[in-house]
Amino acid sequence: MGGFTVEAAPGGPTKKIRTRATVSAPNKVRKGKTFKVYGKVYRGKAAYPGKKVEVYFKAKGGKTYNLMGFATASSTGGYTKTFKARRDGYFQIKVPGTGTTRASLSPQEFVDVR
């Protein structure tokens, strides 16, 4: 059997910090009314101020998420994005990764438009 060696990457192993996002929205919204999708972004265990997050929407019964816009976290890590209720569906937040942080996705949040 042949042998092999493992070499460390230049500068040592990479250890990117985890990110995560929470997402909330009203459960039921009247068609045509405005509502807010909001939450908080974390870097490690602390808030991630100033981070730009991507807001995605997937219609009920749909297969793909569509980018609906961006939201920037406040100094406390909170973000808010306003939408007009058109159809039932799921919202999800993506926190893009950087050179020092990992990308992450929030759980889905369902909005029932009536």
Side-chain angles (χ1 to χ4, degrees):
M1 294 180 112
F4 67 93
T5 59
V6 177
E7 294 181 23
T14 60
K15 290 188 177 180
K16 290 189 174 188
I17 298 170
R18 290 179 186 255
T19 59
R20 70 182 175 92
T22 62
V23 61
S24 293
N27 293 332
K28 296 177 184 174
V29 183
R30 288 192 176 194
K31 192 169 190 169
K33 297 289 182 180
T34 59
F35 67 97
K36 292 182 180 182
V37 174
Y38 57 93
K40 197 165 181 179
V41 186
Y42 297 90
R43 181 178 190 260
K45 294 182 181 179
Y48 199 169
K51 182 63 178 171
K52 192 177 201 179
V53 297
E54 301 170 2
V55 182
Y56 287 89
F57 176 78
K58 178 176 77 169
K60 184 178 178 181
K63 295 184 180 184
T64 59
Y65 276 94
N66 296 310
L67 178 63
M68 299 300 287
F70 299 91
T72 303
S74 68
S75 60
T76 59
Y79 66 87
T80 303
K81 184 75 175 167
T82 304
F83 294 97
K84 188 173 262 192
R86 292 194 171 93
R87 60 182 181 252
D88 295 352
Y90 301 88
F91 283 91
Q92 192 170 35
I93 306 301
K94 179 181 180 185
V95 182
T98 66
T100 58
T101 61
R102 295 181 186 178
S104 65
L105 288 172
S106 72
Q108 299 180 106
E109 181 70 15
F110 182 73
V111 175
D112 183 12
V113 177
R114 299 186 169 226

